Every structure is written in C-alpha cells, then in structure tokens.
Amino acid sequence: LDSLLQESVLIMSLCKRILLARSTCSIRSTRLFSTEERWRSAQLTHRTVIRVSGNESATFLQGLITNDINSLVDKETNSLHCMFLNTGGRVLFDSIISPGFEPNEFMVEVDSGLAKTVIKHLNMYKVRRKLQIEALKNLNIYAVYHDKLSVNTSPAHQTQSDVIGSTFCDGGTRGSQLPDFSGQSEAVMCHPDPRVDLLGYRFLSSEGDTPESALSLNVENVSLDDYTEYRFKLGVPEGAQEILPAKALPLEYNMDYLHGVSFHKGCYIGQELTARTHHTGVIRKRILPIQFLEKSGQSQPSLEPDTSILNESGKSVGKLRRVSANYGLALL
C-alpha cells in the first residue's frame, strides 16, 4: 500500500507540473514568425461541425455545456472548449464551439463518429425552440500548430488546496497569446485552440481554402497521425476513443486545466457531480501523457486500450487509453 501511495504521489506531482506549465503561456513573437521554422497543418478528418442556429441558440447551448457560452456572446473570446454531459454527470462528448458565419449561429465541433448521436441529443432538448441543427459535411477542419514554440510559464495558479490532484479553480475560458487571424477571409474561420496555445489554431473552411493558402504563415501539410502524436505529447485528449462516452468524468480529463469548465455559471445538465467533485477538491485519477522508451534489441509491443499500467512493484496504477507511435494517453 505504501509503495502504491508513493507511486500515486509521484504521478500526481508530475501531472500538476505538466498541467500548470501548460495552463497559461506567453509566446515569444520572434520565434512565432520565424521564417526558418514552419507551422504544420493537419486535416482533422475525425472531427465534424454541427451548426446550431436561431435566436435562442446561445440560451439553448448554455444549459447543455460545461463552459459559459456568454464568453462567446460577449466576444470575450472567439472559441471555447467544453463537454456535454448526461444527467449523471458523465461525459457524452467533448466539443470546441465557435461563433458561426451568421448572427445567432454557433459551430459545434465534435467527434465524427458521434455526429448522429450529437444531433439526436441536441434535438431531444430542443423542445419547442425555433432552432436549426445540422451537420456541415462540406466544412473542412484543420489544426495549425508549431511544435517548436518557445514559451514562458507562470506558477501563479489557484487550486482548491495544496493537495496533489486538487482541482484548478479558474477552469473557464482564457485569453490566448496567439495572434488573431479571424478576420483574414469571409470564407474561412481561424481561431486559437481554446484548450492550450501550444495546440495552435483551429481552421475551418467550406470553399476549398487551406491553411497553406489562406494564412500569412509558413505552413506545411502533415498527416493526422503527426498531429495526434503531438497532441499526446501535450496530454490533451479528444474524441470518443480517448474520452469514453457515458463513462468518463470531465475533471478526470483535465477540463479544469484545459479551460473547459466554468464553476461560476448557472445550472446545466450533469452539473451536480462536477460541482461536488470540484468542491471536494481532489481528483484521484487524471489523464496524463506517457512515453514508451525503446530498449536496445526490443520492438515496441502492441498495446490495446484499457491495458493496465504497472509500477515497479507490479501493481496497477491506471489504464492505457490510446497510443500513437511512442506516445500515448493514460488514466493514472
């Protein structure tokens, strides 16, 4: 028991250092626009945008998401990260929401494999509201990122307590340090990733424009696997393969540190368990980045989701969620 406790303390200490380091950062502009290093662009074929439009669209979404939609309505930020929960407080799906091309319109980005489920869920709570809810199949989504940004981190963060694993109090939307490209074209949308600046931008286009042609950055195209591996290095989960629907808890997936949950907004579906967990102050498990170290003469073993992760004493300290190359995500 003592060995397992020491292992858990070590893991949570690593978690806190990683999360605090990426919660806020400032980007050095001399590196940001370096002509010697390129930004990377990956088309996110596993993500789909659901358009929600109508005069009551903001009020409608406010009652369903973990974050505060008013930050978009009041133009305090141009995108937000959130999750939709079931009545028991478990995650149904994660999302990045941004204003649409028209007034009273929101783009709800979700896992493509859950698109029909998302539309069904939204329609169930639509009731008599005059809203339009539809999937935009012709809208392409890209991640535009720079894997060699130079960042400064700040230790000034407020958590519920000094206990390792305690929740981050200011979990809502944040101000990005990245330059704004949102007004470059009426045919595209480009906004900083609301989770962490190191993930760069989300770029949406419906007319065939690509980040390489539309942005005033030196951009090269890379594969989705390249982006996934980079995201795993940062410990950021997304989609149903990593955040299990109806099983995952939002704070276990670092929604407080990834600016995806507001503890100050009004009621929403599934709020009770999330709020109670936050006020308790400690999360016993969190999603963390892991790296597989190659040993000379040994090939990397094939690992499946839910594979147990053992400490040096052979005791399980968590479960593997997903792997890309030598990096992965695990609930520890």
Side-chain angles (χ1 to χ4, degrees):
L1 182 60
D2 290 341
S3 175
L4 182 59
L5 179 61
Q6 291 176 0
E7 187 76 17
S8 299
V9 169
L10 179 61
I11 289 170
M12 296 311 299
S13 177
L14 174 63
C15 168
K16 196 167 186 177
R17 291 199 302 269
I18 292 173
L19 294 175
L20 290 180
R22 72 176 189 232
S23 292
T24 60
C25 63
S26 58
I27 310 299
R28 297 174 189 166
S29 60
T30 55
R31 292 292 300 277
L32 188 64
F33 292 103
S34 170
T35 57
E36 298 178 358
E37 297 178 353
R38 289 189 175 186
W39 286 69
R40 298 182 174 187
S41 165
Q43 185 171 358
L44 307 183
T45 54
H46 67 301
R47 305 291 285 182
T48 295
V49 169
I50 308 296
R51 179 170 59 193
V52 179
S53 58
N55 292 334
E56 298 180 87
S57 57
T59 304
F60 169 66
L61 290 172
Q62 181 76 329
L64 297 177
I65 64 175
T66 56
N67 218 332
D68 192 348
I69 198 75
N70 289 321
S71 62
L72 294 180
V73 175
D74 298 336
K75 299 183 179 180
E76 296 174 0
T77 183
N78 50 18
S79 65
L80 63 80
H81 179 38
C82 67
M83 287 184 174
F84 290 74
L85 311 180
N86 61 20
T87 54
R90 303 278 176 171
V91 178
L92 293 176
F93 48 91
D94 65 295
S95 179
I96 292 177
I97 301 180
S98 58
F101 292 100
E102 302 294 334
N104 298 314
E105 181 180 85
F106 294 94
M107 302 298 195
V108 182
E109 179 197 313
V110 297
D111 188 310
S112 295
L114 295 176
K116 292 182 179 179
T117 301
V118 172
I119 292 176
K120 182 179 179 180
H121 177 75
L122 295 178
N123 280 324
M124 181 173 64
Y125 289 99
K126 174 183 174 182
V127 195
R128 297 182 179 179
R129 293 184 179 93
K130 295 181 179 180
L131 300 173
Q132 290 185 335
I133 301 171
E134 59 181 333
L136 300 181
K137 297 181 180 180
N138 65 333
L139 195 65
N140 297 317
I141 308 171
Y142 296 83
V144 183
Y145 65 98
H146 193 324
D147 62 348
K148 295 181 180 179
L149 284 178
S150 180
V151 301
N152 295 323
T153 60
S154 170
H157 304 282
Q158 181 183 0
T159 54
Q160 274 291 80
S161 70
D162 294 331
V163 177
I164 294 173
S166 60
T167 56
F168 180 47
C169 296
D170 189 16
T173 54
R174 65 182 179 89
S176 173
Q177 300 295 322
L178 294 173
D180 183 14
F181 290 107
S182 59
Q184 287 202 339
S185 172
E186 294 182 357
V188 303
M189 297 174 61
C190 184
H191 55 77
D193 192 303
R195 296 169 293 186
V196 57
D197 276 342
L198 290 178
L199 283 173
Y201 297 91
R202 274 302 207 259
F203 180 96
L204 287 73
S205 170
S206 60
E207 296 186 1
D209 289 301
T210 64
E212 296 93 316
S213 62
L215 296 180
S216 56
L217 293 173
N218 189 4
V219 181
E220 64 175 346
N221 182 260
V222 297
S223 69
L224 177 59
D225 288 340
D226 289 330
Y227 169 72
T228 301
E229 181 180 351
Y230 176 67
R231 181 168 56 80
F232 283 1
K233 289 180 183 180
L234 298 178
V236 179
E238 69 179 23
Q241 287 184 295
E242 299 157 29
I243 307 172
L244 298 182
K247 293 183 178 180
L249 294 173
L251 297 183
E252 288 182 348
Y253 285 78
N254 301 327
M255 290 299 286
D256 48 344
Y257 285 95
L258 293 174
H259 309 282
V261 57
S262 171
F263 298 116
H264 310 293
K265 64 174 282 187
C267 297
Y268 58 90
I269 293 175
Q271 178 193 28
E272 183 179 356
L273 179 59
T274 304
R276 186 167 67 244
T277 305
H278 169 60
H279 290 301
T280 300
V282 177
I283 309 301
R284 300 186 183 279
K285 297 182 293 182
R286 283 191 183 269
I287 200 78
L288 286 172
I290 57 175
Q291 181 179 6
F292 298 95
L293 303 178
E294 296 181 1
K295 293 184 179 180
S296 178
Q298 294 185 8
S299 60
Q300 184 68 44
S302 177
L303 298 172
E304 298 295 330
D306 285 334
T307 298
S308 293
I309 297 178
L310 309 179
N311 62 11
E312 293 179 351
S313 302
K315 295 183 178 180
S316 176
V317 294
K319 298 286 187 179
L320 183 69
R321 286 265 42 90
R322 196 176 167 208
V323 175
S324 179
N326 287 331
Y327 294 89
L329 296 175
L331 193 62
L332 302 172

